[in-house]
Amino acid sequence: MRGPAIAAALLLVCGGLAGSIRTSLTPQPPAPRHLVPSPTIFLKADGRPFQWRGITAFGLLADIARGRDVSARQYLAWAASRGLTVVRVLATAKHLFDLTPEDGIRALPKLLEMAAALGLHVEVVALADTADRPMDEAAHVRAIGAIAMKHANAIVEIANEPAHPTQNRRLHDARELKRLASLVPGVVPVAWGSAEADPAFAGGGYATMHFPRSSGSEGWGHVLALARGAALIEDWRKPVVSDEPIGAGEAFIAGRRDNDPARFRAAALLTRLAGLGSTFHYEGGLQGRVPSGRELECFDAWNESWTLLPDDIERSGTLRSAGAPGAAVRAFSTRAARAVFERQQGNAVWALAIDVRGEPAIQWGTGWKQVEVRRLDRVWLVTARRSTK
């Protein structure tokens, strides 16, 4: 090597070293601090509890991919104004709307930025309709994970209803879900997919459940089913989200849609007493439309209920049925109410009477004194306190 060439090489090496030194000395922006799943609930970066108070908004990424940023921004602003904390979106779809994996990936950073500006988190459902759209599922999940790592408000669910016929048969196997979840950086909260078909799907940092939409018990079946959530949290030792319960609609469709605000009010209250997070599901949400008409009435009843219990009620105590060991409520009139559930916190207890048709005649255990009753259209929320003497 001739002298000039050697000098040029030395300059390149020294310049590279200097650049590395400058980079190491330059303050770097702090890494995004995502939600942290604890054994029972989500925690914010500062350790405070995070309430999963979500809503189905499947079509938001499709809106952005098609240049309808204004529509997506208006939806997010509405959601933030109503106190919601999570929007649930599909990153690819074939049947509800046509969103290719490539378009979903391109639109995702913008949606996360728009949502973050309004204080909202986004649950990104990576895989849907995979049986009808050939795709590189691993590459798609890896790309979503890389984007999610850069945005503190990102949450990832690998597959929507993994065992559904619209999903590639590979996703019916929990081992494949585990493999795909491993492609998402560990700082990002990840659920494998709703576990109602197979408890093995409950892997990941948190779990999702699509609780039964039964219309039994004169329409109250899907509400009563939520009580099972408390046992799932105890068994799985992680946060559990009721991510796609029965949806609200203009008309009642047995096992699919409900249009009774009272049942959505009861569902929200029982969800919180059970310690679950929840996503309000409704027909318009499949396309990412703001609820209206009967859907809005059901949403308002559901959403108001989140303000009726202490912000941190999920942090202590457990759900009990009336008459169970340790319950403050010993008994009630089964002719006047369908069920009574409770959750204790210190010396206070909140009891929920469902489908009230008269005076529930709640009988309290020794030392408990009823202090307040809120009658909320066939749903009663009753507070009692225990004497400390």
Side-chain angles (χ1 to χ4, degrees):
M1 184 180 291
R2 297 181 182 274
I6 293 173
L10 287 171
L11 284 172
L12 285 172
V13 171
C14 292
L17 287 172
S20 299
I21 292 170
R22 283 195 299 271
T23 300
S24 65
L25 294 177
T26 302
Q28 299 297 308
R33 300 181 66 187
H34 293 73
L35 294 176
V36 178
S38 77
T40 55
I41 61 174
F42 286 95
L43 299 176
K44 300 178 184 179
D46 61 7
R48 290 181 299 156
F50 172 81
Q51 278 191 356
W52 187 300
R53 183 176 172 183
I55 193 164
T56 295
F58 285 165
L60 289 188
L61 280 174
D63 280 346
I64 293 174
R66 296 167 185 167
R68 297 199 292 262
D69 294 17
V70 172
S71 176
R73 188 172 286 106
Q74 288 174 340
Y75 186 98
L76 293 170
W78 171 84
S81 74
R82 304 307 294 271
L84 299 175
T85 60
V86 181
V87 293
R88 184 172 187 248
V89 305
L90 299 184
T92 183
K94 181 69 175 178
H95 301 303
L96 292 175
F97 45 82
D98 191 8
L99 177 65
T100 66
E102 296 77 15
D103 284 345
I105 293 296
R106 279 194 291 269
L108 183 55
K110 180 178 285 188
L111 176 63
L112 288 166
E113 291 165 6
M114 292 165 60
L118 293 163
L120 292 167
H121 285 72
V122 180
E123 184 183 40
V124 184
V125 183
L127 300 172
D129 300 338
T130 53
D132 302 307
R133 186 192 295 281
M135 59 183 291
D136 186 335
E137 293 152 7
H140 184 61
V141 171
R142 187 181 290 108
I144 288 173
I147 294 169
M149 181 177 64
K150 300 176 183 177
H151 297 269
N153 63 328
I155 307 163
V156 175
E157 183 183 35
I158 298 299
N160 182 54
E161 297 180 350
H164 196 276
T166 58
Q167 294 283 26
N168 189 311
R169 289 192 62 82
R170 287 193 299 272
L171 301 181
H172 299 193
D173 187 336
R175 292 170 297 183
E176 177 65 5
L177 298 174
K178 180 179 181 179
R179 184 184 76 86
L180 293 170
S182 72
L183 304 177
V184 179
V187 296
V188 180
V190 175
W192 293 3
S194 53
E196 67 278 359
D198 187 346
F201 294 166
Y206 74 103
T208 58
M209 272 288 290
H210 296 182
F211 284 89
R213 298 176 174 183
S214 167
S215 297
S217 298
E218 299 181 37
W220 292 85
H222 67 86
V223 177
L224 299 175
L226 295 167
R228 182 183 167 219
L232 296 180
I233 294 171
E234 185 173 341
D235 290 345
W236 295 340
R237 299 303 296 164
K238 63 182 64 178
V240 179
V241 178
S242 172
D243 227 3
E244 198 173 308
I246 197 167
E250 288 299 318
F252 176 86
I253 304 173
R256 186 170 183 272
R257 294 287 179 262
D258 197 349
N259 64 349
D260 187 339
R263 286 197 279 266
F264 282 93
R265 179 180 293 109
L269 288 166
L270 184 53
T271 293
R272 293 207 61 206
L273 289 178
L276 299 163
S278 184
T279 302
F280 180 80
H281 192 57
Y282 66 109
E283 188 69 28
L286 304 181
Q287 302 297 326
R289 296 194 303 266
V290 172
S292 61
R294 196 67 169 176
E295 292 176 357
L296 182 58
E297 292 178 39
C298 292
F299 169 80
D300 284 340
W302 179 91
N303 196 42
E304 178 196 19
S305 296
W306 285 81
T307 68
L308 302 180
L309 291 165
D311 288 344
D312 63 347
I313 195 167
E314 296 88 351
R315 293 200 82 164
S316 60
T318 188
L319 182 75
R320 291 185 175 95
S321 299
V329 177
R330 289 190 304 161
F332 67 98
S333 170
T334 55
R335 293 184 178 182
R338 191 168 298 277
V340 174
F341 298 97
E342 66 169 64
R343 192 178 186 108
Q344 298 174 27
Q345 190 180 65
N347 293 315
V349 63
W350 286 264
L352 176 68
I354 292 175
D355 189 22
V356 177
R357 303 175 298 278
E359 173 54 58
I362 291 176
Q363 299 176 31
W364 296 98
T366 303
W368 290 98
K369 182 178 181 181
Q370 184 169 301
V371 295
E372 184 180 19
V373 179
R374 294 185 181 183
R375 296 171 175 83
L376 303 164
D377 182 19
R378 289 181 294 153
V379 180
W380 285 22
L381 183 61
V382 186
T383 309
R385 295 198 177 276
R386 179 167 46 195
S387 173
T388 58
K389 294 182 180 180

